[in-house]
C-alpha cells in the first residue's frame, strides 16, 4: 500500500548545474556541486538579474539567507552568498559573488523584501556596501561602533569596551585594557602532539624513540630458572605474631570450679508436685449433729 505525502519529493541535482549555467549564460563565472548543493559564482554586476531569472523562470521563490565570507589574501576579499529555496521542487541552490571594500554589490530588495535586513547584517559585520539599499544602517552593533567585527583583521577583543561608571552615573566607552595577554589555543591532539616544544618540555630528557628497546635474551627480561627458584623460596617461617613471641598460643581456659552433681530433690521441696497441689481436708460436721 503506497502512502501519499503532501510535501513534494526532494529533487535531484542531476542536470541542474548544466541547465542553470546554460540559462544564465555569460553571467556565470564558475559552477560546481559541493556538500550536496549546486553553487553558482556569478558576476557582481549581474547579481540582481541572475536572481530574478532564478526566481521567475526556475521556481526558486524564496531567499532564505544572505551571508558574508572574508578572505583577506584575495584582491576582492569578500564573498556575498545568497541561499535560495524552491518550494515547488523542494530544492536549494547557492549563488555567490565577490566584492571589495570599495566595490558595491547591487541590492536585491527589489526582489525580496527580507533582503533589506539581511543586507544590513552583511554590511554591519563585513562592511560590504549594497547599492540601491535605501536603509543601509548597522543592525547588530551599537551606535557609533567603529569597524566590522567579522573581518579577519578585526581584533577579538575589539577596540573599546562598554561599562557603567559609578562616578559619572552613566554608561561610558573606554579603550580595552587586558590585565594579561590573550591566550591562544591550538586544540592539538594529545596523541599526535605539537610540532613545537611546549613551555617546560625543554627541561625533560626525551628518550630516543627511534631506537626501540628489544629483549632478545631471557636474562634481559628477568625470567629464567634462577628467577623461578627464587620465587619458590618461602619468604616467612610463620605469621609475624608467632615469630615475635616464639610461644605457642594457649588453648581454652580451665574451668574455675568443679562441683559434683546434686542429688534429686525430695517432695518437700518448694518446687515439687506436693507443694503446688492443695491439701485435702476432711469435711466439716454441722454443729447441730453432736
Amino acid at each position: 500500500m503506497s502512502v501519499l505525502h503532501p510535501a513534494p519529493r526532494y529533487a535531484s541535482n542531476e542536470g541542474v548545474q548544466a541547465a542553470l549555467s546554460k540559462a544564465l549564460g555569460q553571467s556565470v563565472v564558475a559552477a560546481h556541486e559541493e556538500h550536496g548543493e549546486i553553487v553558482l559564482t556569478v558576476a557582481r554586476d549581474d547579481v540582481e538579474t541572475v536572481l530574478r531569472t532564478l526566481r521567475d523562470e526556475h521556481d526558486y521563490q524564496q531567499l532564505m539567507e544572505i551571508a558574508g565570507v572574508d578572505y583577506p589574501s584575495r584582491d576582492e576579499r569578500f564573498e556575498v552568498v545568497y541561499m535560495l529555496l524552491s518550494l515547488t521542487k523542494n530544492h536549494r541552490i547557492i549563488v555567490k559573488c565577490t566584492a571589495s571594500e570599495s566595490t558595491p554589490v547591487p541590492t536585491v530588495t527589489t526582489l525580496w523584501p527580507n533582503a533589506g535586513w539581511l543586507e544590513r547584517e552583511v554590511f554591519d559585520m563585513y562592511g560590504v556596501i549594497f547599492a540601491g539599499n535605501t536603509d543601509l544602517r548597522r543592525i547588530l552593533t551599537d551606535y557609533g561602533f567603529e569597524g566590522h567585527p567579522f573581518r579577519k583583521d578585526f581584533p577579538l577583543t575589539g577596540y573599546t569596551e562598554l561599562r557603567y561608571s559609578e562616578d559619572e552615573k552613566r554608561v561610558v566607552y573606554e579603550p580595552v585594557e587586558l590585565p594579561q595577554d590573550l591566550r591562544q589555543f591550538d586544540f592539538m591532539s594529545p596523541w599526535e602532539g605539537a610540532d613545537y616544544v611546549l613551555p617546560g618540555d625543554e627541561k625533560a630528557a626525551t628518550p630516543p624513540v627511534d631506537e626501540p628497546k628489544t629483549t632478545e635474551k631471557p636474562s634481559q627480561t628477568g625470567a629464567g630458572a634462577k628467577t623461578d627458584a627464587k620465587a619458590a623460596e618461602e619468604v616467612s617461617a610463620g605469621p609475624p605474631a608467632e615469630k615475635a613471641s616464639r610461644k605457642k598460643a594457649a588453648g581454652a581456659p580451665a574451668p574455675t570450679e568443679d562441683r559434683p552433681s546434686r542429688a534429686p530433690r525430695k517432695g518437700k521441696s518448694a518446687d515439687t508436685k506436693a507443694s503446688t497441689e492443695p491439701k485435702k481436708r476432711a469435711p466439716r460436721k454441722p454443729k447441730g449433729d453432736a
Side-chain angles (χ1 to χ4, degrees):
M1 178 179 176
S2 62
V3 179
L4 300 178
H5 198 280
R9 297 184 60 184
Y10 183 80
S12 173
N13 289 336
E14 185 177 358
V16 176
Q17 177 180 336
L20 295 181
S21 299
K22 182 179 179 180
L24 299 176
Q26 300 296 329
S27 299
V28 178
V29 178
H32 66 281
E33 182 176 349
E34 186 175 359
H35 303 298
E37 293 186 352
I38 303 298
V39 181
L40 303 176
T41 304
V42 301
R44 179 177 58 255
D45 297 336
D46 298 340
V47 165
E48 198 268 347
T49 304
V50 167
L51 296 182
R52 185 185 298 273
T53 303
L54 293 174
R55 186 195 66 175
D56 298 342
E57 300 180 10
H58 299 275
D59 299 331
Y60 289 95
Q61 301 94 345
Q62 285 195 354
L63 173 66
M64 303 303 296
E65 181 63 276
I66 301 178
V69 189
D70 184 18
Y71 299 94
S73 59
R74 297 181 182 179
D75 294 336
E76 294 186 346
R77 60 185 295 180
F78 304 116
E79 280 188 355
V80 182
V81 184
Y82 303 85
M83 305 174 191
L84 306 181
L85 170 64
S86 173
L87 298 177
T88 55
K89 300 177 182 178
N90 195 14
H91 190 262
R92 297 175 183 267
I93 62 171
I94 294 177
V95 180
K96 61 183 181 180
C97 67
T98 60
S100 64
E101 301 177 12
S102 58
T103 53
V105 178
T107 183
V108 294
T109 53
T110 56
L111 305 177
W112 294 283
N114 67 323
W117 289 70
L118 300 176
E119 290 177 354
R120 286 178 59 183
E121 183 178 355
V122 176
F123 164 73
D124 192 3
M125 297 291 102
Y126 294 94
V128 178
I129 302 173
F130 293 90
N133 190 319
T134 58
D135 189 20
L136 197 62
R137 297 175 297 159
R138 291 185 181 271
I139 192 173
L140 296 178
T141 56
D142 201 0
Y143 298 104
F145 189 89
E146 297 182 1
H148 303 280
F150 278 10
R151 290 188 178 184
K152 295 296 180 61
D153 52 6
F154 191 85
L156 296 178
T157 58
Y159 296 106
T160 58
E161 61 181 353
L162 181 148
R163 70 175 182 87
Y164 180 79
S165 175
E166 289 289 347
D167 299 334
E168 302 182 19
K169 301 299 180 182
R170 66 182 182 88
V171 176
V172 296
Y173 289 87
E174 295 178 345
V176 175
E177 295 182 1
L178 298 179
Q180 64 180 15
D181 293 338
L182 182 66
R183 299 179 63 185
Q184 301 289 344
F185 299 92
D186 55 3
F187 301 103
M188 65 180 180
S189 170
W191 292 275
E192 298 175 358
D195 297 332
Y196 52 89
V197 179
L198 296 175
D201 286 356
E202 69 277 358
K203 303 176 183 178
T206 305
V209 294
D210 295 337
E211 301 177 4
K213 184 178 180 181
T214 59
T215 54
E216 300 177 356
K217 300 179 180 180
S219 59
Q220 296 177 348
T221 62
K226 294 182 178 180
T227 305
D228 297 341
K230 187 174 182 181
E233 294 179 359
E234 188 175 358
V235 179
S236 176
E242 182 180 344
K243 182 178 180 181
S245 60
R246 295 184 181 180
K247 293 181 180 180
K248 188 176 182 180
T256 56
E257 59 181 5
D258 188 7
R259 296 184 299 174
S261 300
R262 291 181 178 183
R265 294 177 178 179
K266 298 180 179 181
K268 295 182 179 180
S269 301
D271 56 350
T272 60
K273 182 177 180 181
S275 63
T276 57
E277 295 181 356
K279 296 180 179 180
K280 295 182 179 181
R281 297 179 181 180
R284 295 180 179 182
K285 295 181 180 181
K287 295 182 180 181
D289 297 338

